[in-house]
Amino acid sequence: MTLYEEASLIVKKLTLEEKCKFCCGKDFWHLYGIEELDLPSILVCDGPHGLRKEESYQGLLLNNKTIKSTCFPTASALACSFDEKLINKMGKALGEECRKEDVAVILSPGINIKRTPLCGRNFEYFSEDPYLSGKLAAALIKGIQSKGVGASIKHFIANNQEQYRMTLDAIIDERALREIYLKGFEIAIKESNPWTVMTSYNRVNGSYCSQNKKLIRDVLRKEWGYKGVTISDWGGVNDNIESHKAGLDIEMPGYNDNYYKNMVDEVKNNNLSQQVLDESVIRIIELILKYKDGKNIPYKCNIQEHINLAQEIAENSAVLLKNEDNILPGNNKQSICIIGELAKEPVYQGLGSSKVNSVTSDNAYDAFIKNDCNISYAKGYSLRNNNIDEDLIKEAVEVAINKEIVYLFIGLPTYHEAEGYDRDNLRLPESHNILVNEIGKVNKNLVVIIQCGAPIEMPWSDIPKGILLTYMNGCRGGNATVNLLLGKKNPCGKLSETFPISIDDCLSNKYYPGKVNYQEYRESIFVGYRYFDTANILVKYPFGYGLSYSKFDYSDMKVKYLSEDSIEVSIKITNIGKLTGKEVIQIYVSCLNSKLFRPKQELKRFKKIELKPAESKIVKFILDKDCFTYFNIKTNDWQIEDGKYTINIGSSSKDIKFSTTIYKKGDNVEIPNYKKSANIYYELSKENNNISSLEFESIYGKELPISINQVYPFTINSTINDIKKIYGGDLIISMIDKKSKKFALGDKLMEINIEKSLSDFPFRLMSMITRGRISRKTVLGFVDLLNKNYIKGIIQILRNNRYF
């Protein structure tokens, strides 16, 4: 008997009330269970780059009392490894730590596309490219689930910014939706079958993702054949009945407020189908049975091995951006100057629900000492603020004089990158920029080490001889960084996202952040390198770029037809350097003379190999039909356009070593052509990139929605910020702000997070923020008060008060 069949039999024994309880969380982290039926209440936990399990209940949105676990490099670093095997090992380690703590599902990975480098949560996501994101996510999920623990791929879909994320309506044309924003999920879900899929907070084309029938029922279930559980993001349900009709299985979290009775009533009144309810409950019980079966899979949890793995990943993910005059690797015989507080207090993860209570952490300063280095140190700046301290800068410059090599650690302080709010710009604190310039004047042997979670502007990049990008590289990032700088390890990371010269060069930035409830994705499919390469925009560092202490020669490219839909491409790679090193070979495909608007090229395959000095390997790739398709909105299907295609092999999107052209027979279907109505998409350039609403409307396929920014009447989706517009609103906000800061319990970083993100929160989130102490019915009473229904509102609040 399959688990699905077993779950189906159990559902037949349940009462209507029991069925509805399964569709609502039991509490903040547990699902409902029935011990009498041997169905335990299972635990789900945060954890994109490490397990985040709460140690004790504090009534906080983000409880900072969590168990200790391994903090691996964040996804933005992890993706630069381009290493599916290594990422799979990390997945297994996450699974083992979940097993140790009896966690059934870990809420990982996050694979939203990096549409804008300003997104505050980009450190949690892999890439601007859907193929890379999907492949790496699949590797991680397979690793996690091999240990009998479920993964939850998120956030489905288009959660591409933190500002307005709870209420934003992302207006996306169908091709961009399919080729960019859904594609990574499609690859990962089809290849790894995650136990759960988490919907996002935002809306897409008019409907909240948690109640978007097209996305959940039509695409995810019917087209992709997904049979697992769909679960909301925490507090991400706008209407629980409409969500379940659309295909959502579980609303999280639970608040112990008997809210399930709403579902019971709707089933009894025939507003919610009994069949829809049963289908959801079968999937949920099957999830619980998977958890029970998973406990029979042998495992061991060796934390020290996981710490070592975190260091290995950090060493394989750092990206060497510059190495003029072979300034690197350095050695411990040199007189070394270390500058920057980040050398002692590294930023190795971001803020928000992903923040791990790391079992250990290190720093580069201590690692230099362990390597018997002759060092001098200067602080250079303070991480506590962005002020320019002239005394600290002066001290740093003086210490740097006459040293054989200077290692300057700069980057973004912790509070710059977080869940809940976006960055204002791509700039580093000005004190960091000044240090690069001033130290460069007194010592030419300058190496800059950058810690950040997403792209930054580098107006000084011509000054240092060496630049090493470490991203947020986890609990052993210090040792990993020094091993790379001293040549114990050879850098092999490649950028999984483009570093633009300026934020103004990003096409999406013209339309970001949108309005409070509305955001047009006018750039369509032209995200990241797809835009920069197509429009021939000069960038600071291109997608796929990364140097090594070794050098690799590409030769002897061959193409072999295996069948009508299958092509083998091979290339010979030789290490012509003096050190063993790793190279990431990348294949890009482009369609020549297309009737469609298309990117200049798209990543379709990649492979990472290791070579000893003078060693050669033949690397082979199989290109199938999917490598040449586009999504045809006329047929609602993936098609091949008849014509010539170029297959490019290179070490980055800009460094193409070999190319060859082939012919592909196309499908006999009508191809959408927008040259008359939206010709700008065919002729994008730096000077020609102002896409009008009419041109976007043409590819969107229907009239664009009208953005109405009205305050009255207030609803549960009105935001805290909306209160400002009413009489006495500032006073109400002040009271809310004062009350909310108490949740931080003196944690200054938590206070910053709350202050920056609270204004965009819709009222419906009040229940989640207070973990049910403000009930959902109390929120409705609060909305009534704002709408001047005073008697009704007061009665509602008094009846359901658990907080005031």
Side-chain angles (χ1 to χ4, degrees):
M1 181 185 299
T2 65
L3 294 182
Y4 181 85
E5 291 169 337
E6 186 179 347
S8 299
L9 293 176
I10 294 173
V11 168
K12 292 178 181 179
K13 302 176 184 179
L14 302 179
T15 65
L16 176 58
E17 284 205 355
E18 288 171 332
K19 291 177 183 178
C20 292
K21 284 183 178 180
F22 274 107
C23 295
C24 304
K26 178 184 176 182
D27 57 30
F28 208 80
W29 296 115
H30 289 86
L31 306 189
Y32 179 71
I34 302 176
E35 295 298 334
E36 294 80 4
L37 296 177
D38 197 23
L39 295 174
S41 172
I42 63 174
L43 175 67
V44 301
C45 287
D46 279 320
H49 55 268
L51 177 62
R52 185 181 172 278
K53 178 186 175 184
E54 293 186 359
E55 195 169 38
S56 61
Y57 174 74
Q58 288 184 299
L60 302 172
L61 171 59
L62 290 179
N63 188 344
N64 51 15
K65 297 292 184 181
T66 58
I67 65 157
K68 287 188 175 295
S69 60
T70 308
C71 181
F72 291 94
T74 64
S76 59
L78 188 63
C80 293
S81 73
F82 277 70
D83 194 329
E84 293 171 84
K85 291 182 180 178
L86 190 60
I87 291 172
N88 182 262
K89 286 172 66 176
M90 174 177 155
K92 290 177 179 178
L94 288 173
E96 289 165 358
E97 295 195 24
C98 286
R99 289 289 302 278
K100 177 176 177 287
E101 295 294 334
D102 199 20
V103 174
V105 177
I106 184 169
L107 306 178
S108 175
I111 70 162
N112 292 102
I113 290 296
K114 297 183 180 183
R115 175 180 178 246
T116 168
L118 292 175
C119 176
R121 209 172 179 180
N122 272 356
F123 65 89
E124 283 192 54
Y125 304 140
F126 287 120
S127 179
E128 65 191 32
D129 182 80
Y131 177 74
L132 179 62
S133 296
K135 297 297 287 187
L136 299 185
L140 190 72
I141 292 166
K142 289 176 185 177
I144 292 169
Q145 296 187 168
S146 70
K147 298 299 178 178
V149 174
S152 187
I153 192 170
K154 60 184 185 182
H155 307 86
F156 189 75
I157 190 171
N159 183 178
N160 308 116
Q161 64 188 68
E162 291 301 284
Q163 191 169 356
Y164 312 143
R165 65 172 172 157
M166 306 288 184
T167 54
L168 182 78
D169 190 3
I171 307 302
I172 311 174
D173 71 277
E174 190 68 16
R175 265 193 72 200
L177 188 65
R178 297 290 189 146
E179 296 181 16
I180 304 297
Y181 299 101
L182 282 168
K183 192 61 178 178
F185 282 91
E186 180 182 5
I187 291 169
I189 288 168
K190 286 182 175 180
E191 290 191 9
S192 65
N193 192 26
W195 288 10
T196 72
V197 173
M198 182 193 292
T199 58
S200 58
Y201 288 116
N202 54 283
R203 292 173 286 167
V204 169
N205 295 337
S207 296
Y208 278 98
C209 289
S210 61
Q211 61 188 61
N212 196 310
K213 178 181 176 294
K214 174 186 174 179
L215 292 176
I216 300 174
R217 286 204 180 277
D218 298 344
V219 176
L220 179 63
R221 295 218 183 274
K222 290 182 182 178
E223 291 185 27
W224 299 353
Y226 180 67
K227 301 185 184 303
V229 168
T230 51
I231 186 170
S232 75
D233 203 343
W234 269 231
V237 169
N238 171 60
D239 183 319
N240 69 332
I241 301 305
E242 291 304 312
S243 289
H244 287 290
K245 287 180 181 178
L248 186 75
D249 295 322
I250 304 174
E251 177 186 2
M252 288 298 287
Y255 305 102
N256 298 313
D257 60 359
N258 296 327
Y259 203 65
Y260 71 91
K261 290 183 179 179
N262 178 45
M263 290 186 66
V264 173
D265 293 340
E266 294 299 311
V267 173
K268 288 180 178 179
N269 294 331
N270 295 319
N271 291 327
L272 179 63
S273 160
Q274 180 76 56
Q275 181 183 348
V276 168
L277 177 62
D278 285 353
E279 287 173 352
S280 284
V281 179
I282 289 170
R283 287 190 288 265
I284 296 165
I285 291 177
E286 184 181 13
L287 173 66
I288 296 172
L289 296 178
K290 285 180 181 177
Y291 157 77
K292 290 175 62 180
D293 271 12
K295 293 176 78 69
N296 296 321
I297 297 175
Y299 83 100
K300 65 173 183 175
C301 184
N302 187 319
I303 296 296
Q304 187 55 54
E305 289 183 1
H306 296 174
I307 293 169
N308 295 342
L309 176 60
Q311 179 172 322
E312 181 185 356
I313 293 170
E315 290 165 346
N316 279 269
S317 301
V319 183
L320 183 61
L321 298 176
K322 186 177 181 182
N323 196 21
E324 186 179 302
D325 298 333
N326 291 320
I327 185 72
L328 293 174
N331 62 72
N332 64 357
K333 305 301 181 184
Q334 295 170 306
S335 60
I336 296 172
C337 175
I338 301 171
I339 295 173
E341 193 173 11
L342 284 168
K344 289 188 173 183
E345 295 185 29
V347 175
Y348 59 88
Q349 62 177 323
L351 288 179
S353 61
S354 69
K355 188 180 178 185
V356 173
N357 182 10
S358 185
V359 68
T360 185
S361 64
D362 69 357
N363 64 68
Y365 179 86
D366 290 343
F368 275 114
I369 292 175
K370 289 177 184 177
N371 280 275
D372 297 322
C373 293
N374 175 24
I375 64 173
S376 300
Y377 171 78
K379 186 176 178 180
Y381 52 81
S382 172
L383 290 172
R384 305 297 175 266
N385 56 62
N386 286 337
N387 298 337
I388 298 171
D389 190 319
E390 298 289 352
D391 291 335
L392 290 179
I393 293 173
K394 182 180 178 182
E395 177 195 17
V397 171
E398 289 175 352
V399 173
I401 294 172
N402 296 327
K403 298 299 187 299
E404 291 181 78
I405 192 166
V406 178
Y407 295 113
L408 172 59
F409 288 76
I410 62 175
L412 295 174
T414 303
Y415 54 86
H416 280 236
E417 297 176 280
E419 177 181 357
Y421 56 90
D422 293 334
R423 288 191 288 163
D424 296 326
N425 52 62
L426 299 186
R427 295 192 293 272
L428 290 171
E430 189 57 25
S431 57
H432 298 221
N433 291 327
I434 291 172
L435 276 170
V436 178
N437 285 285
E438 293 303 310
I439 292 170
K441 293 176 183 178
V442 300
N443 196 320
K444 301 302 180 184
N445 293 326
L446 173 62
V447 176
V448 171
I449 298 92
I450 305 170
Q451 296 175 15
C452 59
I456 58 168
E457 292 177 359
M458 304 181 204
W460 39 256
S461 61
D462 60 324
I463 295 175
K465 287 187 176 182
I467 304 176
L468 181 68
L469 172 68
T470 64
Y471 276 100
M472 295 175 175
N473 56 357
C475 67
R476 275 291 177 263
N479 278 292
T481 299
V482 173
N483 283 347
L484 291 163
L485 294 173
L486 298 182
K488 289 187 173 183
K489 297 293 179 179
N490 194 344
C492 59
K494 299 279 188 174
L495 290 177
S496 64
E497 58 190 326
T498 306
F499 272 55
I501 293 174
S502 165
I503 185 61
D504 294 332
D505 292 331
C506 301
L507 184 57
S508 61
N509 194 57
K510 288 180 175 290
Y511 318 108
Y512 164 89
K515 299 179 181 178
V516 175
N517 61 349
Y518 184 79
Q519 162 77 285
E520 293 176 2
Y521 284 41
R522 290 195 193 180
E523 72 281 356
S524 185
I525 59 175
F526 295 104
V527 177
Y529 72 88
R530 284 170 167 78
Y531 169 64
F532 296 119
D533 288 357
T534 303
N536 198 28
I537 304 293
L538 184 66
V539 300
K540 182 63 69 174
Y541 298 107
F543 177 87
Y545 171 82
L547 303 175
S548 168
Y549 299 150
S550 302
K551 294 188 182 297
F552 301 95
D553 179 67
Y554 287 60
S555 63
D556 199 21
M557 177 183 180
K558 294 179 180 179
V559 174
K560 179 180 178 182
Y561 288 84
L562 302 179
S563 68
E564 184 179 352
D565 293 327
S566 184
I567 300 171
E568 180 185 271
V569 179
S570 63
I571 190 82
K572 183 180 179 181
I573 310 294
T574 303
N575 183 349
I576 57 175
K578 297 179 180 179
L579 300 173
T580 296
K582 296 178 181 178
E583 172 70 328
V584 178
I585 301 93
Q586 303 157 44
I587 289 193
Y588 298 85
V589 172
S590 58
C591 180
L592 304 179
N593 304 313
S594 175
K595 295 179 181 178
L596 290 157
F597 58 87
R598 284 194 169 191
K600 180 179 179 180
Q601 59 181 3
E602 297 179 283
L603 180 73
K604 294 300 180 181
R605 294 290 185 267
F606 63 88
K607 190 172 292 185
K608 191 169 195 173
I609 63 169
E610 183 174 31
L611 294 171
K612 296 176 182 178
E615 182 182 8
S616 297
K617 284 184 180 178
I618 304 295
V619 183
K620 296 180 179 181
F621 302 90
I622 303 297
L623 304 187
D624 58 18
K625 180 180 178 180
D626 288 344
C627 294
F628 303 93
T629 57
Y630 69 96
F631 190 82
N632 190 323
I633 63 170
K634 298 282 188 182
T635 63
N636 197 44
D637 200 1
W638 295 91
Q639 317 277 193
I640 291 181
E641 183 179 5
D642 192 86
K644 293 181 178 180
Y645 291 80
T646 299
I647 300 172
N648 302 314
I649 294 185
S651 61
S652 80
S653 66
K654 291 288 190 180
D655 187 11
I656 301 303
K657 308 292 187 179
F658 282 90
S659 297
T660 190
T661 300
I662 64 168
Y663 169 77
K664 292 290 292 183
K665 180 176 175 56
D667 298 305
N668 187 24
V669 295
E670 181 184 355
I671 298 174
N673 192 313
Y674 302 99
K675 285 192 174 180
K676 290 184 178 180
S677 60
N679 190 57
I680 190 169
Y681 288 102
Y682 295 81
E683 298 180 353
L684 283 170
S685 67
K686 189 168 186 176
E687 295 74 27
N688 185 34
N689 60 13
N690 289 311
I691 300 166
S692 71
S693 59
L694 287 176
E695 288 166 321
F696 179 57
E697 188 172 86
S698 174
I699 68 167
Y700 185 60
K702 55 185 176 182
E703 189 175 343
L704 293 174
I706 298 175
S707 175
I708 302 175
N709 189 18
Q710 65 181 41
V711 174
Y712 287 104
F714 285 95
T715 70
I716 60 171
N717 288 314
S718 298
T719 66
I720 305 295
N721 203 44
D722 289 333
I723 301 176
K724 288 182 180 178
K725 301 167 186 175
I726 66 171
Y727 179 75
D730 289 338
L731 178 62
I732 297 173
I733 288 177
S734 176
M735 292 171 62
I736 292 173
D737 185 55
K738 187 175 181 181
K739 200 80 173 177
S740 64
K741 282 187 177 179
K742 289 184 177 180
F743 292 149
L745 296 179
D747 185 330
K748 296 301 181 184
L749 289 176
M750 185 76 77
E751 283 187 14
I752 292 171
N753 192 285
I754 291 172
E755 181 182 349
K756 284 180 171 284
S757 61
L758 188 65
S759 62
D760 286 340
F761 272 34
F763 299 151
R764 60 182 162 84
L765 266 291
M766 286 183 180
S767 294
M768 186 192 74
I769 294 170
T770 61
R771 300 205 176 189
R773 289 192 287 178
I774 295 179
S775 72
R776 284 179 272 201
K777 290 183 178 179
T778 299
V779 174
L780 293 175
F782 178 66
V783 171
D784 282 328
L785 285 178
L786 290 173
N787 287 324
K788 302 180 181 180
N789 298 319
Y790 300 120
I791 295 176
K792 182 181 177 182
I794 291 171
I795 292 173
Q796 185 84 282
I797 290 174
L798 291 176
R799 281 179 177 175
N800 300 283
N801 170 41
R802 283 194 276 170
Y803 187 63
F804 291 107

